[in-house]
Amino acid sequence: MASFNRFAAAVQAGIVLCIITAVLAGTRQPEECAGLTCSENRILRYNGTCHCELNPCHQRHCTDPNFPILDFEYDHVGTLNCFCTKSCPHSLCGGQRKPVECASKGFSCPSDEHPILMLEGDQCVCKSHPCQVARRARCDNPSLPWNDYHYEADGSLDCFCRQHPCPNFACNATSATPRVKWDQEGNCFCAPPANKEEL
């Protein structure tokens, strides 16, 4: 009986390991499923139990070695956008990633007021962070300072706090840019001192 129980446990563990292996796609990991990931082109979801759903962009392939990761996002009305991206911070995509058309031309949005780089028509523009506009998810915990977000398929906004994207990054070379800041993809840079209203 004991050997049967060990066999059954091994089979069950094997099934779980086959289902849950690695994820690189456009949604954040459910807190209830910490430590679990899904195989390629599957997304970890939680609806009472942890399970893997097919990536809604699974039929698209990323062939450019500079943008190897298949990612997706929904906009504020629930429209699906599939794209290939350079990386997902901490193997976890979320929010609206930088449009390739803008990032490849060197566009960035270092402003605190308009930190999100977006493509509107054929124009690269800097927009307000949607969680600041909605006055949600202030990330005051020093261990989770990154205010990130994504939209669900129904267009609802999910704001959440994440770990510092580059905790070993330092900005002490010049007094003109003493603050460590990061863009919507977690790329860190040195920024000027905070505005008085931010203090």
Short mmCIF file of all heavy atoms in Angstrom, two decimals, residues 26-53:
data_model
loop_
_atom_site.label_atom_id
_atom_site.label_comp_id
_atom_site.label_asym_id
_atom_site.label_seq_id
_atom_site.Cartn_x
_atom_site.Cartn_y
_atom_site.Cartn_z
N GLY A 26 2.08 38.07 -21.31
CA GLY A 26 1.63 39.35 -20.84
C GLY A 26 0.60 39.40 -19.74
O GLY A 26 -0.41 40.04 -19.92
N THR A 27 0.82 38.77 -18.66
CA THR A 27 -0.03 38.97 -17.50
C THR A 27 0.76 38.65 -16.25
O THR A 27 1.76 37.96 -16.32
CB THR A 27 -1.30 38.10 -17.58
OG1 THR A 27 -2.19 38.47 -16.53
CG2 THR A 27 -0.99 36.63 -17.48
N ARG A 28 0.35 39.18 -15.14
CA ARG A 28 1.13 38.92 -13.94
C ARG A 28 0.68 37.62 -13.29
O ARG A 28 -0.42 37.13 -13.51
CB ARG A 28 1.01 40.07 -12.96
CG ARG A 28 -0.35 40.23 -12.31
CD ARG A 28 -0.31 41.45 -11.42
NE ARG A 28 -1.60 41.72 -10.84
CZ ARG A 28 -1.86 41.62 -9.54
NH1 ARG A 28 -0.93 41.24 -8.71
NH2 ARG A 28 -3.05 41.92 -9.07
N GLN A 29 1.56 37.06 -12.48
CA GLN A 29 1.28 35.79 -11.84
C GLN A 29 0.29 36.00 -10.69
O GLN A 29 0.47 36.90 -9.87
CB GLN A 29 2.58 35.20 -11.30
CG GLN A 29 2.41 33.83 -10.69
CD GLN A 29 3.74 33.24 -10.28
OE1 GLN A 29 4.66 33.96 -9.97
NE2 GLN A 29 3.83 31.93 -10.28
N PRO A 30 -0.75 35.17 -10.62
CA PRO A 30 -1.68 35.29 -9.48
C PRO A 30 -0.94 35.02 -8.16
O PRO A 30 -0.12 34.10 -8.09
CB PRO A 30 -2.71 34.19 -9.75
CG PRO A 30 -2.59 33.88 -11.21
CD PRO A 30 -1.16 34.14 -11.56
N GLU A 31 -1.22 35.83 -7.16
CA GLU A 31 -0.56 35.66 -5.86
C GLU A 31 -0.83 34.28 -5.28
O GLU A 31 0.02 33.71 -4.60
CB GLU A 31 -1.04 36.74 -4.89
CG GLU A 31 -0.60 38.14 -5.29
CD GLU A 31 -1.23 39.23 -4.43
OE1 GLU A 31 -1.94 38.90 -3.46
OE2 GLU A 31 -1.01 40.41 -4.74
N GLU A 32 -2.00 33.71 -5.58
CA GLU A 32 -2.35 32.39 -5.05
C GLU A 32 -1.50 31.28 -5.67
O GLU A 32 -1.47 30.16 -5.16
CB GLU A 32 -3.83 32.09 -5.34
CG GLU A 32 -4.81 33.05 -4.69
CD GLU A 32 -5.06 34.30 -5.53
OE1 GLU A 32 -4.37 34.51 -6.56
OE2 GLU A 32 -5.94 35.09 -5.14
N CYS A 33 -0.81 31.59 -6.77
CA CYS A 33 -0.04 30.57 -7.49
C CYS A 33 1.46 30.85 -7.43
O CYS A 33 2.20 30.49 -8.34
CB CYS A 33 -0.49 30.51 -8.94
SG CYS A 33 -2.27 30.25 -9.15
N ALA A 34 1.91 31.49 -6.37
CA ALA A 34 3.33 31.85 -6.23
C ALA A 34 4.21 30.62 -6.40
O ALA A 34 3.94 29.56 -5.85
CB ALA A 34 3.57 32.48 -4.86
N GLY A 35 5.25 30.77 -7.21
CA GLY A 35 6.21 29.70 -7.42
C GLY A 35 5.86 28.77 -8.57
O GLY A 35 6.68 27.96 -8.98
N LEU A 36 4.65 28.88 -9.13
CA LEU A 36 4.24 28.03 -10.24
C LEU A 36 4.33 28.81 -11.55
O LEU A 36 4.13 30.02 -11.57
CB LEU A 36 2.79 27.55 -10.05
CG LEU A 36 2.50 26.77 -8.77
CD1 LEU A 36 1.03 26.41 -8.70
CD2 LEU A 36 3.37 25.52 -8.71
N THR A 37 4.66 28.14 -12.61
CA THR A 37 4.71 28.76 -13.93
C THR A 37 4.10 27.78 -14.94
O THR A 37 3.84 26.63 -14.62
CB THR A 37 6.15 29.10 -14.34
OG1 THR A 37 6.97 27.93 -14.20
CG2 THR A 37 6.71 30.22 -13.46
N CYS A 38 3.90 28.25 -16.17
CA CYS A 38 3.30 27.41 -17.20
C CYS A 38 4.26 27.20 -18.36
O CYS A 38 5.19 27.98 -18.54
CB CYS A 38 2.03 28.08 -17.74
SG CYS A 38 0.72 28.24 -16.53
N SER A 39 4.00 26.15 -19.15
CA SER A 39 4.83 25.88 -20.31
C SER A 39 4.66 27.00 -21.34
O SER A 39 3.74 27.81 -21.25
CB SER A 39 4.46 24.53 -20.92
OG SER A 39 3.11 24.55 -21.33
N GLU A 40 5.53 26.99 -22.34
CA GLU A 40 5.52 28.04 -23.36
C GLU A 40 4.15 28.20 -23.99
O GLU A 40 3.45 27.22 -24.24
CB GLU A 40 6.55 27.68 -24.44
CG GLU A 40 6.74 28.77 -25.47
CD GLU A 40 7.82 28.41 -26.48
OE1 GLU A 40 8.42 27.34 -26.36
OE2 GLU A 40 8.03 29.22 -27.38
N ASN A 41 3.77 29.46 -24.24
CA ASN A 41 2.48 29.81 -24.84
C ASN A 41 1.28 29.51 -23.95
O ASN A 41 0.16 29.41 -24.43
CB ASN A 41 2.29 29.14 -26.21
CG ASN A 41 3.18 29.77 -27.25
OD1 ASN A 41 3.55 30.93 -27.15
ND2 ASN A 41 3.55 28.99 -28.25
N ARG A 42 1.51 29.37 -22.65
CA ARG A 42 0.40 29.21 -21.72
C ARG A 42 0.53 30.23 -20.60
O ARG A 42 1.63 30.62 -20.22
CB ARG A 42 0.35 27.78 -21.16
CG ARG A 42 0.03 26.78 -22.25
CD ARG A 42 -0.39 25.44 -21.73
NE ARG A 42 -0.85 24.61 -22.82
CZ ARG A 42 -2.10 24.54 -23.25
NH1 ARG A 42 -3.04 25.24 -22.65
NH2 ARG A 42 -2.45 23.77 -24.24
N ILE A 43 -0.59 30.65 -20.06
CA ILE A 43 -0.66 31.71 -19.06
C ILE A 43 -1.21 31.14 -17.77
O ILE A 43 -2.24 30.46 -17.78
CB ILE A 43 -1.60 32.85 -19.54
CG1 ILE A 43 -1.25 33.29 -20.97
CG2 ILE A 43 -1.56 34.02 -18.57
CD1 ILE A 43 0.16 33.75 -21.15
N LEU A 44 -0.55 31.44 -16.66
CA LEU A 44 -1.01 30.97 -15.36
C LEU A 44 -2.19 31.82 -14.89
O LEU A 44 -2.10 33.05 -14.85
CB LEU A 44 0.14 31.05 -14.35
CG LEU A 44 -0.11 30.44 -12.97
CD1 LEU A 44 -0.41 28.95 -13.08
CD2 LEU A 44 1.12 30.64 -12.09
N ARG A 45 -3.28 31.16 -14.56
CA ARG A 45 -4.50 31.83 -14.09
C ARG A 45 -4.96 31.19 -12.79
O ARG A 45 -4.60 30.06 -12.47
CB ARG A 45 -5.61 31.72 -15.13
CG ARG A 45 -5.31 32.39 -16.45
CD ARG A 45 -5.37 33.88 -16.33
NE ARG A 45 -5.39 34.51 -17.64
CZ ARG A 45 -5.31 35.80 -17.82
NH1 ARG A 45 -5.22 36.60 -16.78
NH2 ARG A 45 -5.33 36.32 -19.01
N TYR A 46 -5.84 31.91 -12.09
CA TYR A 46 -6.41 31.38 -10.85
C TYR A 46 -7.91 31.64 -10.83
O TYR A 46 -8.35 32.77 -11.03
CB TYR A 46 -5.76 32.05 -9.63
CG TYR A 46 -6.30 31.54 -8.32
CD1 TYR A 46 -5.87 30.34 -7.79
CD2 TYR A 46 -7.26 32.27 -7.61
CE1 TYR A 46 -6.38 29.86 -6.59
CE2 TYR A 46 -7.77 31.81 -6.42
CZ TYR A 46 -7.32 30.60 -5.91
OH TYR A 46 -7.81 30.12 -4.73
N ASN A 47 -8.70 30.59 -10.65
CA ASN A 47 -10.15 30.74 -10.50
C ASN A 47 -10.66 29.78 -9.42
O ASN A 47 -11.64 29.09 -9.59
CB ASN A 47 -10.87 30.48 -11.83
CG ASN A 47 -10.70 29.05 -12.31
OD1 ASN A 47 -9.96 28.26 -11.71
ND2 ASN A 47 -11.37 28.71 -13.40
N GLY A 48 -9.93 29.74 -8.30
CA GLY A 48 -10.19 28.78 -7.24
C GLY A 48 -9.11 27.71 -7.21
O GLY A 48 -8.80 27.16 -6.16
N THR A 49 -8.54 27.43 -8.37
CA THR A 49 -7.36 26.57 -8.49
C THR A 49 -6.42 27.19 -9.52
O THR A 49 -6.85 27.97 -10.39
CB THR A 49 -7.72 25.14 -8.95
OG1 THR A 49 -8.35 25.23 -10.23
CG2 THR A 49 -8.64 24.44 -7.97
N CYS A 50 -5.14 26.85 -9.43
CA CYS A 50 -4.17 27.35 -10.40
C CYS A 50 -4.25 26.48 -11.65
O CYS A 50 -4.27 25.26 -11.56
CB CYS A 50 -2.76 27.29 -9.80
SG CYS A 50 -2.56 28.34 -8.35
N HIS A 51 -4.32 27.11 -12.81
CA HIS A 51 -4.36 26.37 -14.06
C HIS A 51 -3.70 27.19 -15.16
O HIS A 51 -3.48 28.39 -15.01
CB HIS A 51 -5.81 26.02 -14.44
CG HIS A 51 -6.64 27.21 -14.76
ND1 HIS A 51 -7.17 28.04 -13.79
CD2 HIS A 51 -7.03 27.75 -15.94
CE1 HIS A 51 -7.85 29.02 -14.35
NE2 HIS A 51 -7.77 28.87 -15.66
N CYS A 52 -3.36 26.53 -16.25
CA CYS A 52 -2.69 27.18 -17.38
C CYS A 52 -3.68 27.33 -18.54
O CYS A 52 -4.32 26.37 -18.94
CB CYS A 52 -1.49 26.36 -17.81
SG CYS A 52 -0.20 26.24 -16.54
N GLU A 53 -3.76 28.56 -19.07
CA GLU A 53 -4.60 28.83 -20.24
C GLU A 53 -3.70 29.08 -21.44
O GLU A 53 -2.58 29.55 -21.29
CB GLU A 53 -5.45 30.09 -20.01
CG GLU A 53 -6.59 29.92 -19.08
CD GLU A 53 -7.42 31.20 -18.95
OE1 GLU A 53 -7.11 32.19 -19.65
OE2 GLU A 53 -8.34 31.20 -18.14
#
